[in-house]
PDB file of all heavy atoms in Angstrom:
ATOM      1  N   ARG A 120      -7.346  31.211  -3.586  1.00  0.00           N
ATOM      2  CA  ARG A 120      -6.267  31.291  -2.596  1.00  0.00           C
ATOM      3  C   ARG A 120      -5.714  29.890  -2.282  1.00  0.00           C
ATOM      4  O   ARG A 120      -4.656  29.769  -1.670  1.00  0.00           O
ATOM      5  CB  ARG A 120      -6.727  31.983  -1.308  1.00  0.00           C
ATOM      6  CG  ARG A 120      -7.808  31.275  -0.534  1.00  0.00           C
ATOM      7  CD  ARG A 120      -8.146  32.055   0.744  1.00  0.00           C
ATOM      8  NE  ARG A 120      -9.172  31.390   1.549  1.00  0.00           N
ATOM      9  CZ  ARG A 120     -10.461  31.546   1.368  1.00  0.00           C
ATOM     10  NH1 ARG A 120     -10.888  32.347   0.392  1.00  0.00           N
ATOM     11  NH2 ARG A 120     -11.331  30.914   2.133  1.00  0.00           N
ATOM     12  N   PHE A 121      -6.452  28.864  -2.700  1.00  0.00           N
ATOM     13  CA  PHE A 121      -5.975  27.482  -2.551  1.00  0.00           C
ATOM     14  C   PHE A 121      -5.243  27.077  -3.826  1.00  0.00           C
ATOM     15  O   PHE A 121      -5.755  27.254  -4.939  1.00  0.00           O
ATOM     16  CB  PHE A 121      -7.140  26.521  -2.331  1.00  0.00           C
ATOM     17  CG  PHE A 121      -7.816  26.655  -0.998  1.00  0.00           C
ATOM     18  CD1 PHE A 121      -8.908  27.485  -0.855  1.00  0.00           C
ATOM     19  CD2 PHE A 121      -7.344  25.947   0.105  1.00  0.00           C
ATOM     20  CE1 PHE A 121      -9.534  27.616   0.380  1.00  0.00           C
ATOM     21  CE2 PHE A 121      -7.961  26.073   1.338  1.00  0.00           C
ATOM     22  CZ  PHE A 121      -9.054  26.916   1.477  1.00  0.00           C
ATOM     23  N   SER A 122      -4.057  26.495  -3.654  1.00  0.00           N
ATOM     24  CA  SER A 122      -3.325  26.001  -4.816  1.00  0.00           C
ATOM     25  C   SER A 122      -2.571  24.724  -4.452  1.00  0.00           C
ATOM     26  O   SER A 122      -2.139  24.547  -3.304  1.00  0.00           O
ATOM     27  CB  SER A 122      -2.350  27.057  -5.353  1.00  0.00           C
ATOM     28  OG  SER A 122      -1.354  27.335  -4.391  1.00  0.00           O
ATOM     29  N   GLY A 123      -2.453  23.851  -5.432  1.00  0.00           N
ATOM     30  CA  GLY A 123      -1.728  22.609  -5.225  1.00  0.00           C
ATOM     31  C   GLY A 123      -0.568  22.507  -6.190  1.00  0.00           C
ATOM     32  O   GLY A 123      -0.643  23.000  -7.320  1.00  0.00           O
ATOM     33  N   SER A 124       0.497  21.873  -5.728  1.00  0.00           N
ATOM     34  CA  SER A 124       1.669  21.707  -6.576  1.00  0.00           C
ATOM     35  C   SER A 124       2.394  20.432  -6.191  1.00  0.00           C
ATOM     36  O   SER A 124       2.065  19.786  -5.185  1.00  0.00           O
ATOM     37  CB  SER A 124       2.611  22.914  -6.442  1.00  0.00           C
ATOM     38  OG  SER A 124       3.093  23.003  -5.107  1.00  0.00           O
ATOM     39  N   GLY A 125       3.402  20.111  -6.991  1.00  0.00           N
ATOM     40  CA  GLY A 125       4.208  18.940  -6.684  1.00  0.00           C
ATOM     41  C   GLY A 125       4.274  17.957  -7.829  1.00  0.00           C
ATOM     42  O   GLY A 125       3.637  18.140  -8.873  1.00  0.00           O
ATOM     43  N   ALA A 126       5.054  16.905  -7.613  1.00  0.00           N
ATOM     44  CA  ALA A 126       5.215  15.867  -8.614  1.00  0.00           C
ATOM     45  C   ALA A 126       5.861  14.652  -7.976  1.00  0.00           C
ATOM     46  O   ALA A 126       6.556  14.785  -6.951  1.00  0.00           O
ATOM     47  CB  ALA A 126       6.078  16.369  -9.772  1.00  0.00           C
ATOM     48  N   GLY A 127       5.621  13.498  -8.578  1.00  0.00           N
ATOM     49  CA  GLY A 127       6.297  12.289  -8.111  1.00  0.00           C
ATOM     50  C   GLY A 127       5.824  11.821  -6.749  1.00  0.00           C
ATOM     51  O   GLY A 127       4.803  11.142  -6.643  1.00  0.00           O
ATOM     52  N   THR A 128       6.569  12.202  -5.715  1.00  0.00           N
ATOM     53  CA  THR A 128       6.233  11.780  -4.352  1.00  0.00           C
ATOM     54  C   THR A 128       6.049  12.944  -3.388  1.00  0.00           C
ATOM     55  O   THR A 128       5.735  12.717  -2.213  1.00  0.00           O
ATOM     56  CB  THR A 128       7.340  10.860  -3.777  1.00  0.00           C
ATOM     57  OG1 THR A 128       8.563  11.617  -3.725  1.00  0.00           O
ATOM     58  CG2 THR A 128       7.535   9.614  -4.620  1.00  0.00           C
ATOM     59  N   ASP A 129       6.242  14.162  -3.843  1.00  0.00           N
ATOM     60  CA  ASP A 129       6.166  15.323  -2.961  1.00  0.00           C
ATOM     61  C   ASP A 129       5.166  16.349  -3.453  1.00  0.00           C
ATOM     62  O   ASP A 129       5.286  16.848  -4.579  1.00  0.00           O
ATOM     63  CB  ASP A 129       7.544  15.982  -2.825  1.00  0.00           C
ATOM     64  CG  ASP A 129       8.482  15.148  -1.981  1.00  0.00           C
ATOM     65  OD1 ASP A 129       8.279  15.104  -0.757  1.00  0.00           O
ATOM     66  OD2 ASP A 129       9.387  14.537  -2.556  1.00  0.00           O
ATOM     67  N   PHE A 130       4.222  16.671  -2.583  1.00  0.00           N
ATOM     68  CA  PHE A 130       3.117  17.540  -2.970  1.00  0.00           C
ATOM     69  C   PHE A 130       2.850  18.566  -1.871  1.00  0.00           C
ATOM     70  O   PHE A 130       3.143  18.333  -0.704  1.00  0.00           O
ATOM     71  CB  PHE A 130       1.864  16.695  -3.234  1.00  0.00           C
ATOM     72  CG  PHE A 130       2.111  15.620  -4.249  1.00  0.00           C
ATOM     73  CD1 PHE A 130       2.494  14.350  -3.848  1.00  0.00           C
ATOM     74  CD2 PHE A 130       2.007  15.886  -5.603  1.00  0.00           C
ATOM     75  CE1 PHE A 130       2.766  13.360  -4.775  1.00  0.00           C
ATOM     76  CE2 PHE A 130       2.269  14.905  -6.543  1.00  0.00           C
ATOM     77  CZ  PHE A 130       2.659  13.644  -6.130  1.00  0.00           C
ATOM     78  N   THR A 131       2.279  19.687  -2.278  1.00  0.00           N
ATOM     79  CA  THR A 131       2.026  20.771  -1.345  1.00  0.00           C
ATOM     80  C   THR A 131       0.688  21.425  -1.626  1.00  0.00           C
ATOM     81  O   THR A 131       0.334  21.650  -2.785  1.00  0.00           O
ATOM     82  CB  THR A 131       3.122  21.845  -1.443  1.00  0.00           C
ATOM     83  OG1 THR A 131       4.403  21.245  -1.194  1.00  0.00           O
ATOM     84  CG2 THR A 131       2.901  22.950  -0.422  1.00  0.00           C
ATOM     85  N   LEU A 132      -0.037  21.708  -0.548  1.00  0.00           N
ATOM     86  CA  LEU A 132      -1.236  22.537  -0.621  1.00  0.00           C
ATOM     87  C   LEU A 132      -0.888  23.872   0.025  1.00  0.00           C
ATOM     88  O   LEU A 132      -0.370  23.903   1.146  1.00  0.00           O
ATOM     89  CB  LEU A 132      -2.407  21.894   0.127  1.00  0.00           C
ATOM     90  CG  LEU A 132      -3.686  22.729   0.203  1.00  0.00           C
ATOM     91  CD1 LEU A 132      -4.345  22.826  -1.179  1.00  0.00           C
ATOM     92  CD2 LEU A 132      -4.671  22.144   1.217  1.00  0.00           C
ATOM     93  N   LYS A 133      -1.154  24.943  -0.692  1.00  0.00           N
ATOM     94  CA  LYS A 133      -0.876  26.272  -0.155  1.00  0.00           C
ATOM     95  C   LYS A 133      -2.154  27.084  -0.095  1.00  0.00           C
ATOM     96  O   LYS A 133      -2.988  27.036  -1.011  1.00  0.00           O
ATOM     97  CB  LYS A 133       0.173  26.991  -1.008  1.00  0.00           C
ATOM     98  CG  LYS A 133       1.560  26.385  -0.893  1.00  0.00           C
ATOM     99  CD  LYS A 133       2.594  27.152  -1.691  1.00  0.00           C
ATOM    100  CE  LYS A 133       3.979  26.531  -1.525  1.00  0.00           C
ATOM    101  NZ  LYS A 133       5.004  27.185  -2.366  1.00  0.00           N
ATOM    102  N   ILE A 134      -2.287  27.827   0.985  1.00  0.00           N
ATOM    103  CA  ILE A 134      -3.362  28.802   1.120  1.00  0.00           C
ATOM    104  C   ILE A 134      -2.667  30.158   1.184  1.00  0.00           C
ATOM    105  O   ILE A 134      -1.872  30.413   2.102  1.00  0.00           O
ATOM    106  CB  ILE A 134      -4.208  28.559   2.377  1.00  0.00           C
ATOM    107  CG1 ILE A 134      -4.677  27.102   2.446  1.00  0.00           C
ATOM    108  CG2 ILE A 134      -5.421  29.501   2.378  1.00  0.00           C
ATOM    109  CD1 ILE A 134      -5.381  26.733   3.743  1.00  0.00           C
ATOM    110  N   SER A 135      -2.931  31.004   0.217  1.00  0.00           N
ATOM    111  CA  SER A 135      -2.169  32.250   0.111  1.00  0.00           C
ATOM    112  C   SER A 135      -2.455  33.213   1.260  1.00  0.00           C
ATOM    113  O   SER A 135      -1.549  33.863   1.775  1.00  0.00           O
ATOM    114  CB  SER A 135      -2.444  32.929  -1.227  1.00  0.00           C
ATOM    115  OG  SER A 135      -3.828  33.199  -1.356  1.00  0.00           O
ATOM    116  N   ARG A 136      -3.708  33.291   1.645  1.00  0.00           N
ATOM    117  CA  ARG A 136      -4.120  34.168   2.756  1.00  0.00           C
ATOM    118  C   ARG A 136      -5.241  33.458   3.499  1.00  0.00           C
ATOM    119  O   ARG A 136      -6.362  33.380   3.006  1.00  0.00           O
ATOM    120  CB  ARG A 136      -4.598  35.526   2.238  1.00  0.00           C
ATOM    121  CG  ARG A 136      -3.548  36.370   1.558  1.00  0.00           C
ATOM    122  CD  ARG A 136      -4.181  37.611   0.924  1.00  0.00           C
ATOM    123  NE  ARG A 136      -5.285  37.287   0.039  1.00  0.00           N
ATOM    124  CZ  ARG A 136      -5.147  36.861  -1.199  1.00  0.00           C
ATOM    125  NH1 ARG A 136      -3.945  36.699  -1.732  1.00  0.00           N
ATOM    126  NH2 ARG A 136      -6.219  36.588  -1.937  1.00  0.00           N
ATOM    127  N   VAL A 137      -4.919  32.939   4.669  1.00  0.00           N
ATOM    128  CA  VAL A 137      -5.885  32.139   5.424  1.00  0.00           C
ATOM    129  C   VAL A 137      -7.045  33.009   5.914  1.00  0.00           C
ATOM    130  O   VAL A 137      -6.835  34.139   6.395  1.00  0.00           O
ATOM    131  CB  VAL A 137      -5.196  31.444   6.614  1.00  0.00           C
ATOM    132  CG1 VAL A 137      -6.227  30.810   7.537  1.00  0.00           C
ATOM    133  CG2 VAL A 137      -4.229  30.385   6.101  1.00  0.00           C
ATOM    134  N   GLU A 138      -8.240  32.464   5.780  1.00  0.00           N
ATOM    135  CA  GLU A 138      -9.433  33.106   6.320  1.00  0.00           C
ATOM    136  C   GLU A 138     -10.004  32.213   7.421  1.00  0.00           C
ATOM    137  O   GLU A 138      -9.726  31.015   7.469  1.00  0.00           O
ATOM    138  CB  GLU A 138     -10.457  33.331   5.209  1.00  0.00           C
ATOM    139  CG  GLU A 138      -9.952  34.255   4.112  1.00  0.00           C
ATOM    140  CD  GLU A 138     -11.035  34.660   3.122  1.00  0.00           C
ATOM    141  OE1 GLU A 138     -12.214  34.285   3.333  1.00  0.00           O
ATOM    142  OE2 GLU A 138     -10.692  35.356   2.138  1.00  0.00           O
TER     143      GLU A 138
END
Side-chain angles (χ1 to χ4, degrees):
Chain A
R120 64 179 181 274
F121 290 92
S122 64
S124 63
T128 62
D129 288 288
F130 305 93
T131 303
L132 176 70
K133 291 183 179 176
I134 309 173
S135 59
R136 295 173 307 280
V137 170
E138 298 189 4

